[in-house]
Amino acid sequence: MSWPEVVVSTNDLEKGQVRNAKCDQRQDATPDIIPSTYYSGVVELRLQHRPWLESLHQFMDPNAKGFGINLADRMEHFDIKVIHFPKSGKHDPVIKCASAEDFERAMSENKEQTGTLIIAKGLSRAMIEALGTMFELEPDFFANHLAGTELFRMGYMESPGLRAPARAPSLLPGYLRKAPFYTAEYRRPYHIEGGQQMIFKLRAAATTTTRGVEIVHNDLPEVFFHEKISVYKRSRSNIGIILTDQLLSDAPPASHIPNPVILLDGDAENLGTDGRRHQVSSRRELISWLQCLTPDEAKTLFDDHEQLALRPILKIVEGNGVMFLAHARHIMIRILTRHCDAQFPESIPFFLHISRSLHRAIHEQQRVLRCALRVASLRGGEEIAEQKQDFAFLADEMDGALKALEEDVRFLVGEASIREGKIVGWVSKFAALFLPVSLLATILAISDPGYARWAILGGLSVPFVMISIYFMFFWKTA
C-alpha cells in the first residue's frame, strides 16, 4: 500500500480523483460498505435526542432512499489534504490523502509542530468516519455543513409536499458563540450552457453535497450555485478542520464579466498557470492564502484570540458576492439594450421573468451576506472591522442594484401598458369602420326594387369610409 502523495507543484493542487461521470446510477449497485463506528456509535445514539441530525443520519445510511448521487461516491469518496506547520513557521508540503489509510499515515508523522490544518473537499461517509472518529467531532458540525442539501438529493428540487425533507439544524446566535465551529455560505457564479437539465446532471454527478442553484432563465447560461465552508477548531487545540464543497464545473467564468481582484488570488504562482482561466475551488484559494503567510503569521494561526481562517473565508464570500453583483448588472444592462442583443427576444414577459428572478436572487444574496456578517460579528469581534466595512459597502451596492432593477421593472411595465393602449386604439379605429357596414345593412333592408338603395349606399358609405381612413391614418393634431 503506497504512502500519501506529497504535492510539490501548486498546479496539481486540485486534480484530485477522477470521479464517475454517470449520474443515472441509483442504489441498485450496492458496494461493500465498511461498518462505521461513528455512524452507529455517535450519530444513531444522539439522533433520538437531536432530531436535527436526521439529514446527517440519512446521508451516512447506505440503505437510505432518494439520493441521485452514486452510492459509492456518497459512501467512499475521499479527498483530504493535510498541512503540517512546524515550529519554524513555514508549512510543510501539502499531503494528498485519497483513503483513510493515507490520512492516518499523514496524521501519524512525529514532528515538532505548532499545528495541523486539514482541508476536505466534498463529504462522504468515509470522510466523516475518519474525521469524526480521530478527533471526536460533534455530529452537529457535519449536519450543519450538510444543511441545505435535503431538497436536492436527486439532482433536482423535490417538492416538500411529496416527501418531507430530512430535518437539519438551524443554529441560533447563542449556540454559534460557544460552538467550536462556524459555517459561511456563498453563491458561486457559473457560465453553463444547457439549462436546467445540464444543471441537474452536473449536480448529481460532480458533487456529493447537492445544494441549491439559482437559475435566472432556462435560456441563459448565468447560474449561481450554493456553496459552504465549515471550520472546526476547539479552544487550545492545534488541529484545524475545514470542509469545502466541490466545484459544479471547471467551466471558466464569462469573459465579459470582470474578475474581482482580492488578496487570496493576488499571487499567480500560488493559483497556478490556469488559475485565472478556470473556476478555482475554495480549498485551492485557502491553500493559496496559507502559502502567502509569513512565518510569524503561520505561528499564530492556531491561537485562540482569532478564529481560524475567518478572514480568508470572508474574502471568498466577498469575492463571490462581487462576481454575483457583476453578473446581475450585466444582465440588467442587456435588458435595457435589448435592441443590440440578438440573444434577447423582444418580449416584455421575457424581461419581466428575468427581472423577477434577479430580484429574488439579489434578496437571497443579501441574506447570505447578513448571515456571513453575523458569523463574523459573533466569532471575529473587533478583529475583522475591515471585513465588516467591506461587507457594508457590498450591501449598499446591492441595495442600489435592487433600486435600479425596480426602476427597470416600472419602465417595462409602463412600456407594456403603452403597447396595450396602442393595440386598444387600433381595435377602436377598426371598429369604427363597421359603421358604414351597419348603414349598409339598414339600406339593404329597404324593399325598393330599384337602384335607389345602391345609389344611397355609394353616396354615403364610400365618402364616410374615405374620411374615416383619412382621420385614422393621415390626419394628426397640432
Side-chain angles (χ1 to χ4, degrees):
M1 192 174 293
S2 60
W3 283 86
E5 178 185 355
V6 177
V7 178
V8 294
S9 172
T10 55
N11 295 335
D12 192 44
L13 288 177
E14 291 300 327
K15 288 184 178 179
Q17 297 172 312
V18 179
R19 290 178 52 80
N20 189 351
K22 294 181 179 180
C23 67
D24 56 351
Q25 289 182 317
R26 297 295 185 265
Q27 314 298 330
D28 46 2
T30 304
D32 295 332
I33 305 299
I34 300 176
S36 171
T37 57
Y38 189 79
Y39 170 71
S40 58
V42 179
V43 178
E44 281 192 330
L45 291 179
R46 299 188 184 183
L47 178 62
Q48 54 184 335
H49 301 293
R50 301 181 185 180
W52 55 86
L53 298 179
E54 185 179 13
S55 60
L56 174 62
H57 180 268
Q58 293 182 6
F59 181 82
M60 298 184 68
D61 184 4
N63 299 317
K65 304 298 181 182
F67 284 88
I69 57 178
N70 185 271
L71 177 60
D73 292 333
R74 181 162 60 94
M75 295 290 106
E76 302 173 358
H77 168 73
F78 208 97
D79 189 358
I80 291 178
K81 292 184 177 178
V82 178
I83 308 172
H84 295 297
F85 289 83
K87 292 185 177 180
S88 61
K90 192 65 176 177
H91 67 78
D92 291 342
V94 180
I95 303 176
K96 298 173 63 175
C97 303
S99 65
E101 292 78 9
D102 293 345
F103 180 62
E104 291 178 1
R105 291 194 185 95
M107 295 302 301
S108 63
E109 293 185 0
N110 295 322
K111 292 183 178 180
E112 292 185 357
Q113 52 199 19
T114 59
T116 299
L117 191 60
I118 302 164
I119 308 179
K121 187 166 73 168
L123 204 59
S124 68
R125 172 181 164 125
M127 297 170 69
I128 295 174
E129 169 71 17
L131 295 172
T133 304
M134 180 174 293
F135 303 109
E136 299 180 352
L137 303 182
E138 289 85 348
D140 308 69
F141 172 60
F142 299 109
N144 188 53
H145 185 73
L146 287 173
T149 64
E150 305 83 27
L151 294 176
F152 308 97
R153 291 175 173 178
M154 295 298 296
Y156 53 86
M157 182 176 180
E158 296 182 276
S159 173
L162 298 178
R163 179 171 56 187
R167 286 169 290 188
S170 179
L171 305 181
L172 298 177
Y175 185 95
L176 289 174
R177 288 190 186 94
K178 300 179 181 179
F181 60 87
Y182 67 89
T183 298
E185 187 177 0
Y186 57 94
R187 305 290 182 263
R188 180 185 294 273
Y190 283 94
H191 189 85
I192 299 177
E193 303 283 352
Q196 291 182 355
Q197 295 304 319
M198 178 58 68
I199 298 298
F200 298 160
K201 181 178 179 181
L202 290 173
R203 182 159 50 187
T207 68
T208 57
T209 52
T210 52
R211 304 193 187 277
V213 61
E214 295 170 12
I215 302 175
V216 177
H217 193 276
N218 200 38
D219 295 333
L220 298 180
E222 284 83 9
V223 296
F224 307 101
F225 194 71
H226 300 194
E227 288 191 21
K228 274 187 176 183
I229 303 178
S230 299
V231 181
Y232 187 102
K233 181 187 174 298
R234 289 193 180 99
S235 177
R236 295 185 296 276
S237 173
N238 64 345
I239 300 293
I241 301 170
I242 302 178
L243 305 180
T244 64
D245 285 339
Q246 298 146 304
L247 290 176
L248 187 68
S249 170
D250 61 353
S255 59
H256 49 266
I257 302 296
N259 288 326
V261 179
I262 56 178
L263 295 178
L264 292 181
D265 59 0
D267 190 351
E269 296 181 358
N270 292 331
L271 285 178
T273 56
D274 61 344
R276 298 185 183 275
R277 295 195 298 269
H278 298 281
Q279 290 282 358
V280 178
S281 69
S282 54
R283 181 171 71 176
R284 188 170 180 180
E285 290 189 79
L286 289 173
I287 293 178
S288 172
W289 165 71
L290 291 173
Q291 293 174 336
C292 294
L293 293 178
T294 64
D296 292 336
E297 291 173 337
K299 291 179 181 179
T300 61
L301 184 63
F302 297 92
D303 290 349
D304 291 335
H305 72 278
E306 185 173 345
Q307 290 296 318
L308 176 65
L310 181 58
R311 291 185 180 181
I313 289 176
L314 292 178
K315 282 295 182 182
I316 292 176
V317 175
E318 179 189 355
N320 283 278
V322 171
M323 281 292 289
F324 168 85
L325 189 58
H327 278 78
R329 285 175 171 171
H330 173 72
I331 296 175
M332 292 165 59
I333 292 175
R334 292 180 68 183
I335 293 176
L336 295 179
T337 59
R338 55 188 181 274
H339 300 290
C340 305
D341 197 330
Q343 295 183 351
F344 268 43
E346 186 64 24
S347 172
I348 297 296
F350 177 81
F351 301 137
L352 290 177
H353 175 83
I354 294 177
S355 300
R356 180 176 179 273
S357 299
L358 281 179
H359 194 273
R360 183 175 60 251
I362 293 176
H363 272 294
E364 177 65 17
Q365 183 66 28
Q366 287 182 321
R367 184 195 67 81
V368 169
L369 289 178
R370 286 194 297 268
C371 291
L373 193 59
R374 181 181 66 173
V375 171
S377 301
L378 294 175
R379 308 305 297 264
E382 300 298 329
E383 300 292 334
I384 55 166
E386 181 180 343
Q387 281 74 18
K388 290 181 180 179
Q389 187 178 21
D390 295 342
F391 272 55
F393 289 150
L394 184 56
D396 291 340
E397 292 290 328
M398 289 192 178
D399 285 335
L402 270 180
K403 293 179 181 178
L405 185 60
E406 291 170 356
E407 289 293 331
D408 294 345
V409 170
R410 279 193 284 268
F411 169 77
L412 292 173
V413 172
E415 185 174 352
S417 300
I418 293 174
R419 291 186 180 184
E420 291 178 359
K422 289 182 178 179
I423 294 175
V424 172
W426 281 108
V427 171
S428 301
K429 290 177 180 179
F430 280 106
L433 295 178
F434 284 93
L435 293 177
V437 177
S438 63
L439 178 63
L440 173 63
T442 303
I443 295 175
L444 292 179
I446 301 175
S447 60
D448 185 4
Y451 297 98
R453 58 180 181 179
W454 301 111
I456 295 174
L457 174 64
L460 295 179
S461 62
V462 173
F464 183 84
V465 171
M466 299 299 295
I467 293 173
S468 299
I469 292 176
Y470 171 77
F471 276 102
M472 285 190 293
F473 295 99
F474 301 103
W475 185 77
K476 295 182 180 180
T477 59

